[in-house]
Amino acid sequence: MTEQTIKPDILSMSLDELKAFVRSLGEKDFRAAQLYGWMQKGAAIEEMTNLPAAFRAKIAEAAEYRLPKIAEKYVSKKDGTIKYLFSLIDGECVESVFMRYEHGNTLCVSSQAGCRMGCKFCASTLRGKVRDLTASEILGQVLAAQRDTGERIGGVVMMGIGEPLDNYDNSVRFLRLVSCPEGLNIGLRHISLSTCGLVPGIRRLAEENLPITLSISLHASDDATRGALMPVNNAYPIKELLAACRDYFATTGRRVSFEYTLIGGKNDSLPQARALAKLLKEGMHATCHVNLIMLNEVAETGLSTVARKNAEAFRDELCRLGVNATIRRRLGSDIDASCGQLRLRHTEKADEKVN
């Protein structure tokens, strides 16, 4: 089964679209409002007890309701971070991570089952891309996590499995749905979208009037190093990527954030920190932020992380040269909270059963 729905996908609909669909079934608008309210709670159709049984049966027959189910769940004993493995309608699995901060709860969501971008340090791409997620399957991760924890999710990061701009239409529809006042009403300024650097998608996104934070997975300051780590750089080299980022800032007024995963012996030297500072100061002509990430090691990649003191030295050098930089707080380190690891293990176990 692909991401294409066979029947109307009601969780991917806005309230107005849902009303039109319900009217096509011969029902009144208030039934659509009731249905919509239940869906925004992540409820199963059989739980929607104020809806007539006949109406629920009609919806179950005429529509798809792609609410993910929790297949596995792990809670960090260190910081309370929760990692979910969600099962989708066709048996594919994706991951989400629920993170608690002083300012509120944030969920990291996946946008694809697998990934075809081929970044050398990432577990998500090891088995390639299986399919895109529908907008409902991305939204459903938020609904399911919020229902399971009983806590409001106030922020979203699209940094899980998959490349959001490689699933552009569904990602943008998700952003509109999750921020809808009648729905979860999560402010767009509390949402980040991370891309490996698909320049056409960045340029399209700038025109969407969505005041989200754009995060660029950069990970190197020169094309040779970045190309070796990230095949996407061969299609959209750094100069072209930064031009799109400058235009994004000019159009939206939103500061661009750059993610930089520190990999031992690959991109972590002080000369590389100086080269990164020079690149961003000359290439962006605007305030930007560098989010340094200490690599979460994946055995299959053969790559290693750096010592904390080395990460701090890299950060200090960037700051000394006038580039704002911080080291990302490591959450859920005892539950493999980096994206792709849980899905990889689950897929390998499934293969063993088949063989």
Side-chain angles (χ1 to χ4, degrees):
M1 186 172 186
T2 69
E3 73 275 9
Q4 299 300 317
T5 56
I6 299 170
K7 301 175 183 177
D9 179 8
I10 52 176
L11 192 56
S12 283
M13 295 180 183
S14 67
L15 180 54
D16 286 343
E17 290 168 338
L18 187 63
K19 286 178 179 178
F21 173 67
V22 167
R23 284 197 296 269
S24 75
L25 299 179
E27 301 286 347
K28 302 293 186 181
D29 282 3
F30 79 94
R31 290 294 182 210
Q34 290 175 313
L35 175 60
Y36 186 83
W38 278 112
M39 291 195 301
Q40 297 304 305
K41 296 177 182 177
I45 290 178
E46 58 268 22
E47 297 177 282
M48 303 176 182
T49 51
N50 67 334
L51 296 177
F55 176 65
R56 282 181 278 160
K58 190 183 293 186
I59 289 294
E61 174 66 25
E64 287 191 11
Y65 182 33
R66 292 193 163 198
L67 191 66
K69 296 180 180 179
I70 299 174
E72 297 180 31
K73 172 184 173 182
Y74 300 90
V75 182
S76 171
K77 294 179 181 179
K78 293 183 176 181
D79 50 44
T81 296
I82 304 173
K83 183 155 192 177
Y84 294 101
L85 183 71
F86 286 117
S87 177
L88 307 179
I89 194 171
D90 58 353
E92 282 297 326
C93 290
V94 295
E95 300 171 21
S96 298
V97 181
F98 178 91
M99 299 166 286
R100 292 184 175 92
Y101 296 97
E102 290 184 3
H103 59 270
N105 301 319
T106 293
L107 189 74
C108 178
V109 299
S110 296
S111 57
Q112 295 176 316
C115 182
R116 63 175 178 171
M117 295 296 106
C119 298
K120 304 304 182 184
F121 47 83
C122 183
S124 299
T125 196
L126 288 174
R127 291 197 166 213
K129 171 187 165 182
V130 177
R131 68 172 178 88
D132 292 329
L133 301 194
T134 62
S136 60
E137 289 170 329
I138 308 174
L139 178 65
Q141 296 167 59
V142 186
L143 298 173
Q146 189 163 269
R147 178 181 171 89
D148 180 65
T149 61
E151 299 179 39
R152 172 169 167 75
I153 292 172
V156 173
V157 288
M158 299 188 75
M159 297 181 183
I161 296 171
E163 163 56 57
L165 298 185
D166 189 41
N167 185 17
Y168 186 90
D169 291 338
N170 284 313
S171 292
V172 168
R173 175 164 279 264
F174 159 72
L175 292 170
R176 299 195 188 283
L177 289 172
V178 77
S179 60
C180 178
E182 296 89 358
L184 293 181
N185 196 27
I186 297 176
L188 287 166
R189 294 181 184 275
H190 300 291
I191 298 176
S192 295
L193 182 149
S194 176
T195 176
C196 65
L198 296 183
V199 167
I202 293 171
R203 294 194 177 281
R204 285 182 68 188
L205 190 64
E207 303 298 329
E208 295 284 356
N209 193 29
L210 295 167
I212 62 171
T213 297
L214 177 66
S215 296
I216 304 296
S217 294
L218 190 59
H219 310 310
S221 57
D222 64 272
D223 285 323
T225 304
R226 190 167 191 266
L229 293 172
M230 305 177 70
V232 69
N233 197 77
N234 298 319
Y236 307 109
I238 291 174
K239 183 177 180 179
E240 187 175 346
L241 175 59
L242 291 187
C245 291
R246 288 197 305 271
D247 292 344
Y248 184 90
F249 174 78
T251 301
T252 66
R254 299 286 293 166
R255 185 183 71 172
V256 176
S257 178
F258 292 91
E259 297 161 346
Y260 194 101
T261 297
L262 292 164
I263 304 170
K266 300 292 184 181
N267 64 357
D268 61 326
S269 71
L270 290 184
Q272 286 168 312
R274 290 189 281 273
L276 178 62
K278 183 175 187 291
L279 174 74
L280 294 180
K281 291 180 75 173
E282 294 179 356
M284 284 302 296
H285 313 305
T287 301
C288 60
H289 176 259
V290 175
N291 194 7
L292 296 172
I293 304 165
M294 295 177 66
L295 178 71
N296 219 327
E297 294 179 355
V298 177
E300 291 84 351
T301 69
L303 300 173
S304 58
T305 191
V306 299
R308 177 76 189 191
K309 64 179 183 179
N310 290 18
E312 291 173 350
F314 198 99
R315 175 203 60 198
D316 293 346
E317 187 69 2
L318 289 176
C319 293
R320 184 184 72 81
L321 295 169
V323 174
N324 184 271
T326 54
I327 301 173
R328 179 183 292 177
R329 179 182 165 202
R330 299 187 75 173
L331 296 176
S333 59
D334 56 329
I335 55 171
D336 286 339
S338 67
C339 71
Q341 291 176 298
L342 184 55
R343 181 177 187 271
L344 181 64
R345 290 205 308 268
H346 180 87
T347 304
E348 288 172 344
K349 288 179 183 177
D351 287 349
E352 289 174 1
K353 290 181 181 178
V354 171
N355 297 327

PDB file of all heavy atoms in Angstrom, residues 225-257:
ATOM      1  N   THR A 225      33.549  18.004   1.908  1.00  0.00           N
ATOM      2  CA  THR A 225      33.175  17.318   3.151  1.00  0.00           C
ATOM      3  C   THR A 225      31.682  17.060   3.204  1.00  0.00           C
ATOM      4  O   THR A 225      31.236  15.962   3.551  1.00  0.00           O
ATOM      5  CB  THR A 225      33.606  18.158   4.370  1.00  0.00           C
ATOM      6  OG1 THR A 225      35.007  18.416   4.308  1.00  0.00           O
ATOM      7  CG2 THR A 225      33.280  17.435   5.666  1.00  0.00           C
ATOM      8  N   ARG A 226      30.905  18.076   2.840  1.00  0.00           N
ATOM      9  CA  ARG A 226      29.444  17.912   2.912  1.00  0.00           C
ATOM     10  C   ARG A 226      28.963  16.878   1.898  1.00  0.00           C
ATOM     11  O   ARG A 226      28.074  16.077   2.185  1.00  0.00           O
ATOM     12  CB  ARG A 226      28.742  19.256   2.681  1.00  0.00           C
ATOM     13  CG  ARG A 226      27.247  19.198   2.992  1.00  0.00           C
ATOM     14  CD  ARG A 226      26.632  20.592   3.060  1.00  0.00           C
ATOM     15  NE  ARG A 226      25.278  20.526   3.612  1.00  0.00           N
ATOM     16  CZ  ARG A 226      24.167  20.443   2.900  1.00  0.00           C
ATOM     17  NH1 ARG A 226      24.235  20.440   1.560  1.00  0.00           N
ATOM     18  NH2 ARG A 226      22.984  20.370   3.475  1.00  0.00           N
ATOM     19  N   GLY A 227      29.545  16.884   0.711  1.00  0.00           N
ATOM     20  CA  GLY A 227      29.146  15.925  -0.304  1.00  0.00           C
ATOM     21  C   GLY A 227      29.432  14.492   0.101  1.00  0.00           C
ATOM     22  O   GLY A 227      28.685  13.570  -0.236  1.00  0.00           O
ATOM     23  N   ALA A 228      30.520  14.290   0.853  1.00  0.00           N
ATOM     24  CA  ALA A 228      30.861  12.949   1.326  1.00  0.00           C
ATOM     25  C   ALA A 228      29.895  12.467   2.398  1.00  0.00           C
ATOM     26  O   ALA A 228      29.629  11.265   2.517  1.00  0.00           O
ATOM     27  CB  ALA A 228      32.287  12.932   1.866  1.00  0.00           C
ATOM     28  N   LEU A 229      29.363  13.407   3.171  1.00  0.00           N
ATOM     29  CA  LEU A 229      28.421  13.061   4.237  1.00  0.00           C
ATOM     30  C   LEU A 229      26.974  13.068   3.766  1.00  0.00           C
ATOM     31  O   LEU A 229      26.147  12.290   4.265  1.00  0.00           O
ATOM     32  CB  LEU A 229      28.559  14.048   5.402  1.00  0.00           C
ATOM     33  CG  LEU A 229      29.858  14.019   6.196  1.00  0.00           C
ATOM     34  CD1 LEU A 229      29.903  15.195   7.170  1.00  0.00           C
ATOM     35  CD2 LEU A 229      30.013  12.703   6.951  1.00  0.00           C
ATOM     36  N   MET A 230      26.655  13.953   2.809  1.00  0.00           N
ATOM     37  CA  MET A 230      25.280  14.178   2.399  1.00  0.00           C
ATOM     38  C   MET A 230      25.195  14.240   0.871  1.00  0.00           C
ATOM     39  O   MET A 230      25.547  15.259   0.264  1.00  0.00           O
ATOM     40  CB  MET A 230      24.766  15.495   3.002  1.00  0.00           C
ATOM     41  CG  MET A 230      24.898  15.581   4.521  1.00  0.00           C
ATOM     42  SD  MET A 230      24.348  17.180   5.162  1.00  0.00           S
ATOM     43  CE  MET A 230      22.566  17.064   4.880  1.00  0.00           C
ATOM     44  N   PRO A 231      24.721  13.186   0.232  1.00  0.00           N
ATOM     45  CA  PRO A 231      24.647  13.169  -1.232  1.00  0.00           C
ATOM     46  C   PRO A 231      23.834  14.309  -1.826  1.00  0.00           C
ATOM     47  O   PRO A 231      24.080  14.700  -2.971  1.00  0.00           O
ATOM     48  CB  PRO A 231      23.984  11.814  -1.519  1.00  0.00           C
ATOM     49  CG  PRO A 231      24.367  10.957  -0.360  1.00  0.00           C
ATOM     50  CD  PRO A 231      24.374  11.875   0.822  1.00  0.00           C
ATOM     51  N   VAL A 232      22.906  14.875  -1.059  1.00  0.00           N
ATOM     52  CA  VAL A 232      22.082  15.968  -1.579  1.00  0.00           C
ATOM     53  C   VAL A 232      22.937  17.153  -1.999  1.00  0.00           C
ATOM     54  O   VAL A 232      22.555  17.949  -2.873  1.00  0.00           O
ATOM     55  CB  VAL A 232      21.036  16.402  -0.522  1.00  0.00           C
ATOM     56  CG1 VAL A 232      21.698  17.090   0.661  1.00  0.00           C
ATOM     57  CG2 VAL A 232      19.976  17.319  -1.135  1.00  0.00           C
ATOM     58  N   ASN A 233      24.132  17.278  -1.389  1.00  0.00           N
ATOM     59  CA  ASN A 233      25.006  18.402  -1.720  1.00  0.00           C
ATOM     60  C   ASN A 233      25.489  18.358  -3.159  1.00  0.00           C
ATOM     61  O   ASN A 233      25.849  19.383  -3.741  1.00  0.00           O
ATOM     62  CB  ASN A 233      26.208  18.424  -0.773  1.00  0.00           C
ATOM     63  CG  ASN A 233      26.930  19.753  -0.785  1.00  0.00           C
ATOM     64  OD1 ASN A 233      26.468  20.718  -0.179  1.00  0.00           O
ATOM     65  ND2 ASN A 233      28.046  19.828  -1.488  1.00  0.00           N
ATOM     66  N   ASN A 234      25.486  17.169  -3.766  1.00  0.00           N
ATOM     67  CA  ASN A 234      25.892  17.055  -5.169  1.00  0.00           C
ATOM     68  C   ASN A 234      24.870  17.697  -6.102  1.00  0.00           C
ATOM     69  O   ASN A 234      25.218  18.154  -7.190  1.00  0.00           O
ATOM     70  CB  ASN A 234      26.094  15.586  -5.531  1.00  0.00           C
ATOM     71  CG  ASN A 234      27.192  14.941  -4.702  1.00  0.00           C
ATOM     72  OD1 ASN A 234      28.229  15.549  -4.464  1.00  0.00           O
ATOM     73  ND2 ASN A 234      26.960  13.727  -4.238  1.00  0.00           N
ATOM     74  N   ALA A 235      23.619  17.732  -5.659  1.00  0.00           N
ATOM     75  CA  ALA A 235      22.568  18.381  -6.447  1.00  0.00           C
ATOM     76  C   ALA A 235      22.432  19.858  -6.100  1.00  0.00           C
ATOM     77  O   ALA A 235      22.212  20.697  -6.982  1.00  0.00           O
ATOM     78  CB  ALA A 235      21.232  17.673  -6.224  1.00  0.00           C
ATOM     79  N   TYR A 236      22.573  20.181  -4.819  1.00  0.00           N
ATOM     80  CA  TYR A 236      22.401  21.563  -4.353  1.00  0.00           C
ATOM     81  C   TYR A 236      23.581  21.928  -3.457  1.00  0.00           C
ATOM     82  O   TYR A 236      23.508  21.791  -2.230  1.00  0.00           O
ATOM     83  CB  TYR A 236      21.077  21.716  -3.587  1.00  0.00           C
ATOM     84  CG  TYR A 236      19.885  21.222  -4.368  1.00  0.00           C
ATOM     85  CD1 TYR A 236      19.221  20.055  -4.005  1.00  0.00           C
ATOM     86  CD2 TYR A 236      19.431  21.913  -5.496  1.00  0.00           C
ATOM     87  CE1 TYR A 236      18.131  19.597  -4.725  1.00  0.00           C
ATOM     88  CE2 TYR A 236      18.340  21.459  -6.225  1.00  0.00           C
ATOM     89  CZ  TYR A 236      17.709  20.300  -5.838  1.00  0.00           C
ATOM     90  OH  TYR A 236      16.621  19.838  -6.559  1.00  0.00           O
ATOM     91  N   PRO A 237      24.695  22.366  -4.041  1.00  0.00           N
ATOM     92  CA  PRO A 237      25.891  22.682  -3.252  1.00  0.00           C
ATOM     93  C   PRO A 237      25.651  23.851  -2.304  1.00  0.00           C
ATOM     94  O   PRO A 237      24.644  24.557  -2.378  1.00  0.00           O
ATOM     95  CB  PRO A 237      26.934  23.006  -4.318  1.00  0.00           C
ATOM     96  CG  PRO A 237      26.161  23.332  -5.550  1.00  0.00           C
ATOM     97  CD  PRO A 237      24.901  22.551  -5.483  1.00  0.00           C
ATOM     98  N   ILE A 238      26.617  24.051  -1.432  1.00  0.00           N
ATOM     99  CA  ILE A 238      26.457  24.996  -0.326  1.00  0.00           C
ATOM    100  C   ILE A 238      26.120  26.408  -0.811  1.00  0.00           C
ATOM    101  O   ILE A 238      25.246  27.075  -0.245  1.00  0.00           O
ATOM    102  CB  ILE A 238      27.725  25.015   0.547  1.00  0.00           C
ATOM    103  CG1 ILE A 238      27.853  23.683   1.293  1.00  0.00           C
ATOM    104  CG2 ILE A 238      27.689  26.167   1.537  1.00  0.00           C
ATOM    105  CD1 ILE A 238      29.139  23.522   2.084  1.00  0.00           C
ATOM    106  N   LYS A 239      26.808  26.890  -1.838  1.00  0.00           N
ATOM    107  CA  LYS A 239      26.554  28.248  -2.323  1.00  0.00           C
ATOM    108  C   LYS A 239      25.094  28.422  -2.740  1.00  0.00           C
ATOM    109  O   LYS A 239      24.448  29.436  -2.404  1.00  0.00           O
ATOM    110  CB  LYS A 239      27.480  28.573  -3.500  1.00  0.00           C
ATOM    111  CG  LYS A 239      27.340  29.998  -4.020  1.00  0.00           C
ATOM    112  CD  LYS A 239      28.348  30.268  -5.153  1.00  0.00           C
ATOM    113  CE  LYS A 239      28.205  31.695  -5.667  1.00  0.00           C
ATOM    114  NZ  LYS A 239      29.191  31.966  -6.757  1.00  0.00           N
ATOM    115  N   GLU A 240      24.553  27.444  -3.452  1.00  0.00           N
ATOM    116  CA  GLU A 240      23.159  27.504  -3.898  1.00  0.00           C
ATOM    117  C   GLU A 240      22.205  27.393  -2.714  1.00  0.00           C
ATOM    118  O   GLU A 240      21.168  28.068  -2.653  1.00  0.00           O
ATOM    119  CB  GLU A 240      22.897  26.375  -4.893  1.00  0.00           C
ATOM    120  CG  GLU A 240      21.537  26.425  -5.563  1.00  0.00           C
ATOM    121  CD  GLU A 240      21.375  25.355  -6.621  1.00  0.00           C
ATOM    122  OE1 GLU A 240      22.386  24.748  -7.027  1.00  0.00           O
ATOM    123  OE2 GLU A 240      20.220  25.118  -7.034  1.00  0.00           O
ATOM    124  N   LEU A 241      22.557  26.547  -1.746  1.00  0.00           N
ATOM    125  CA  LEU A 241      21.733  26.380  -0.551  1.00  0.00           C
ATOM    126  C   LEU A 241      21.661  27.665   0.256  1.00  0.00           C
ATOM    127  O   LEU A 241      20.577  28.096   0.679  1.00  0.00           O
ATOM    128  CB  LEU A 241      22.306  25.244   0.301  1.00  0.00           C
ATOM    129  CG  LEU A 241      21.658  24.996   1.661  1.00  0.00           C
ATOM    130  CD1 LEU A 241      20.183  24.677   1.527  1.00  0.00           C
ATOM    131  CD2 LEU A 241      22.394  23.871   2.395  1.00  0.00           C
ATOM    132  N   LEU A 242      22.804  28.315   0.471  1.00  0.00           N
ATOM    133  CA  LEU A 242      22.806  29.554   1.253  1.00  0.00           C
ATOM    134  C   LEU A 242      22.062  30.675   0.537  1.00  0.00           C
ATOM    135  O   LEU A 242      21.428  31.517   1.181  1.00  0.00           O
ATOM    136  CB  LEU A 242      24.235  29.975   1.573  1.00  0.00           C
ATOM    137  CG  LEU A 242      25.006  29.081   2.551  1.00  0.00           C
ATOM    138  CD1 LEU A 242      26.345  29.714   2.902  1.00  0.00           C
ATOM    139  CD2 LEU A 242      24.202  28.812   3.813  1.00  0.00           C
ATOM    140  N   ALA A 243      22.113  30.692  -0.777  1.00  0.00           N
ATOM    141  CA  ALA A 243      21.338  31.691  -1.524  1.00  0.00           C
ATOM    142  C   ALA A 243      19.855  31.511  -1.267  1.00  0.00           C
ATOM    143  O   ALA A 243      19.105  32.493  -1.079  1.00  0.00           O
ATOM    144  CB  ALA A 243      21.644  31.581  -3.015  1.00  0.00           C
ATOM    145  N   ALA A 244      19.390  30.258  -1.236  1.00  0.00           N
ATOM    146  CA  ALA A 244      17.978  29.990  -0.944  1.00  0.00           C
ATOM    147  C   ALA A 244      17.638  30.386   0.484  1.00  0.00           C
ATOM    148  O   ALA A 244      16.542  30.905   0.750  1.00  0.00           O
ATOM    149  CB  ALA A 244      17.671  28.507  -1.174  1.00  0.00           C
ATOM    150  N   CYS A 245      18.568  30.176   1.407  1.00  0.00           N
ATOM    151  CA  CYS A 245      18.343  30.558   2.806  1.00  0.00           C
ATOM    152  C   CYS A 245      18.266  32.070   2.960  1.00  0.00           C
ATOM    153  O   CYS A 245      17.433  32.602   3.718  1.00  0.00           O
ATOM    154  CB  CYS A 245      19.451  29.987   3.691  1.00  0.00           C
ATOM    155  SG  CYS A 245      19.412  28.199   3.852  1.00  0.00           S
ATOM    156  N   ARG A 246      19.129  32.791   2.253  1.00  0.00           N
ATOM    157  CA  ARG A 246      19.068  34.259   2.286  1.00  0.00           C
ATOM    158  C   ARG A 246      17.723  34.748   1.773  1.00  0.00           C
ATOM    159  O   ARG A 246      17.098  35.638   2.360  1.00  0.00           O
ATOM    160  CB  ARG A 246      20.194  34.873   1.445  1.00  0.00           C
ATOM    161  CG  ARG A 246      21.580  34.749   2.031  1.00  0.00           C
ATOM    162  CD  ARG A 246      22.550  35.723   1.358  1.00  0.00           C
ATOM    163  NE  ARG A 246      22.583  35.566  -0.096  1.00  0.00           N
ATOM    164  CZ  ARG A 246      23.382  34.736  -0.748  1.00  0.00           C
ATOM    165  NH1 ARG A 246      24.201  33.944  -0.068  1.00  0.00           N
ATOM    166  NH2 ARG A 246      23.367  34.671  -2.067  1.00  0.00           N
ATOM    167  N   ASP A 247      17.270  34.163   0.683  1.00  0.00           N
ATOM    168  CA  ASP A 247      15.989  34.566   0.105  1.00  0.00           C
ATOM    169  C   ASP A 247      14.838  34.200   1.033  1.00  0.00           C
ATOM    170  O   ASP A 247      13.846  34.934   1.127  1.00  0.00           O
ATOM    171  CB  ASP A 247      15.797  33.917  -1.266  1.00  0.00           C
ATOM    172  CG  ASP A 247      16.765  34.457  -2.311  1.00  0.00           C
ATOM    173  OD1 ASP A 247      17.367  35.521  -2.058  1.00  0.00           O
ATOM    174  OD2 ASP A 247      16.926  33.809  -3.364  1.00  0.00           O
ATOM    175  N   TYR A 248      14.958  33.071   1.718  1.00  0.00           N
ATOM    176  CA  TYR A 248      13.926  32.666   2.677  1.00  0.00           C
ATOM    177  C   TYR A 248      13.804  33.705   3.788  1.00  0.00           C
ATOM    178  O   TYR A 248      12.693  34.123   4.152  1.00  0.00           O
ATOM    179  CB  TYR A 248      14.265  31.297   3.263  1.00  0.00           C
ATOM    180  CG  TYR A 248      13.202  30.760   4.199  1.00  0.00           C
ATOM    181  CD1 TYR A 248      12.163  29.979   3.711  1.00  0.00           C
ATOM    182  CD2 TYR A 248      13.236  31.047   5.560  1.00  0.00           C
ATOM    183  CE1 TYR A 248      11.179  29.492   4.565  1.00  0.00           C
ATOM    184  CE2 TYR A 248      12.254  30.570   6.424  1.00  0.00           C
ATOM    185  CZ  TYR A 248      11.231  29.789   5.915  1.00  0.00           C
ATOM    186  OH  TYR A 248      10.247  29.330   6.770  1.00  0.00           O
ATOM    187  N   PHE A 249      14.950  34.128   4.299  1.00  0.00           N
ATOM    188  CA  PHE A 249      14.935  35.147   5.360  1.00  0.00           C
ATOM    189  C   PHE A 249      14.369  36.467   4.836  1.00  0.00           C
ATOM    190  O   PHE A 249      13.572  37.130   5.511  1.00  0.00           O
ATOM    191  CB  PHE A 249      16.344  35.360   5.906  1.00  0.00           C
ATOM    192  CG  PHE A 249      16.447  36.480   6.896  1.00  0.00           C
ATOM    193  CD1 PHE A 249      16.024  36.303   8.201  1.00  0.00           C
ATOM    194  CD2 PHE A 249      16.934  37.726   6.520  1.00  0.00           C
ATOM    195  CE1 PHE A 249      16.093  37.337   9.125  1.00  0.00           C
ATOM    196  CE2 PHE A 249      17.011  38.765   7.431  1.00  0.00           C
ATOM    197  CZ  PHE A 249      16.592  38.573   8.741  1.00  0.00           C
ATOM    198  N   ALA A 250      14.756  36.850   3.630  1.00  0.00           N
ATOM    199  CA  ALA A 250      14.279  38.111   3.052  1.00  0.00           C
ATOM    200  C   ALA A 250      12.762  38.085   2.855  1.00  0.00           C
ATOM    201  O   ALA A 250      12.086  39.101   3.039  1.00  0.00           O
ATOM    202  CB  ALA A 250      14.980  38.374   1.723  1.00  0.00           C
ATOM    203  N   THR A 251      12.226  36.925   2.495  1.00  0.00           N
ATOM    204  CA  THR A 251      10.790  36.811   2.240  1.00  0.00           C
ATOM    205  C   THR A 251       9.986  36.706   3.524  1.00  0.00           C
ATOM    206  O   THR A 251       8.918  37.318   3.656  1.00  0.00           O
ATOM    207  CB  THR A 251      10.499  35.579   1.354  1.00  0.00           C
ATOM    208  OG1 THR A 251      11.194  35.720   0.126  1.00  0.00           O
ATOM    209  CG2 THR A 251       9.010  35.423   1.078  1.00  0.00           C
ATOM    210  N   THR A 252      10.472  35.930   4.478  1.00  0.00           N
ATOM    211  CA  THR A 252       9.684  35.614   5.675  1.00  0.00           C
ATOM    212  C   THR A 252      10.058  36.447   6.902  1.00  0.00           C
ATOM    213  O   THR A 252       9.242  36.590   7.818  1.00  0.00           O
ATOM    214  CB  THR A 252       9.861  34.136   6.054  1.00  0.00           C
ATOM    215  OG1 THR A 252      11.226  33.911   6.463  1.00  0.00           O
ATOM    216  CG2 THR A 252       9.524  33.224   4.876  1.00  0.00           C
ATOM    217  N   GLY A 253      11.290  36.962   6.936  1.00  0.00           N
ATOM    218  CA  GLY A 253      11.748  37.656   8.133  1.00  0.00           C
ATOM    219  C   GLY A 253      12.092  36.706   9.266  1.00  0.00           C
ATOM    220  O   GLY A 253      12.380  37.139  10.384  1.00  0.00           O
ATOM    221  N   ARG A 254      12.073  35.419   9.005  1.00  0.00           N
ATOM    222  CA  ARG A 254      12.340  34.408  10.029  1.00  0.00           C
ATOM    223  C   ARG A 254      13.805  33.974   9.976  1.00  0.00           C
ATOM    224  O   ARG A 254      14.315  33.582   8.923  1.00  0.00           O
ATOM    225  CB  ARG A 254      11.440  33.187   9.825  1.00  0.00           C
ATOM    226  CG  ARG A 254       9.959  33.474   9.927  1.00  0.00           C
ATOM    227  CD  ARG A 254       9.533  33.690  11.361  1.00  0.00           C
ATOM    228  NE  ARG A 254       9.652  32.461  12.125  1.00  0.00           N
ATOM    229  CZ  ARG A 254       9.602  32.407  13.461  1.00  0.00           C
ATOM    230  NH1 ARG A 254       9.493  33.539  14.164  1.00  0.00           N
ATOM    231  NH2 ARG A 254       9.672  31.249  14.093  1.00  0.00           N
ATOM    232  N   ARG A 255      14.470  34.029  11.123  1.00  0.00           N
ATOM    233  CA  ARG A 255      15.868  33.619  11.211  1.00  0.00           C
ATOM    234  C   ARG A 255      16.017  32.143  10.851  1.00  0.00           C
ATOM    235  O   ARG A 255      15.206  31.308  11.255  1.00  0.00           O
ATOM    236  CB  ARG A 255      16.382  33.856  12.635  1.00  0.00           C
ATOM    237  CG  ARG A 255      17.865  33.574  12.816  1.00  0.00           C
ATOM    238  CD  ARG A 255      18.305  33.760  14.267  1.00  0.00           C
ATOM    239  NE  ARG A 255      17.791  32.703  15.130  1.00  0.00           N
ATOM    240  CZ  ARG A 255      18.158  32.544  16.398  1.00  0.00           C
ATOM    241  NH1 ARG A 255      19.000  33.399  16.951  1.00  0.00           N
ATOM    242  NH2 ARG A 255      17.653  31.569  17.118  1.00  0.00           N
ATOM    243  N   VAL A 256      17.038  31.834  10.097  1.00  0.00           N
ATOM    244  CA  VAL A 256      17.321  30.446   9.722  1.00  0.00           C
ATOM    245  C   VAL A 256      18.271  29.835  10.747  1.00  0.00           C
ATOM    246  O   VAL A 256      19.215  30.478  11.202  1.00  0.00           O
ATOM    247  CB  VAL A 256      17.936  30.377   8.307  1.00  0.00           C
ATOM    248  CG1 VAL A 256      18.312  28.940   7.952  1.00  0.00           C
ATOM    249  CG2 VAL A 256      16.959  30.935   7.279  1.00  0.00           C
ATOM    250  N   SER A 257      18.005  28.589  11.106  1.00  0.00           N
ATOM    251  CA  SER A 257      18.861  27.859  12.026  1.00  0.00           C
ATOM    252  C   SER A 257      19.632  26.796  11.251  1.00  0.00           C
ATOM    253  O   SER A 257      19.099  26.184  10.322  1.00  0.00           O
ATOM    254  CB  SER A 257      18.006  27.193  13.119  1.00  0.00           C
ATOM    255  OG  SER A 257      18.810  26.441  13.997  1.00  0.00           O
TER     256      SER A 257
END
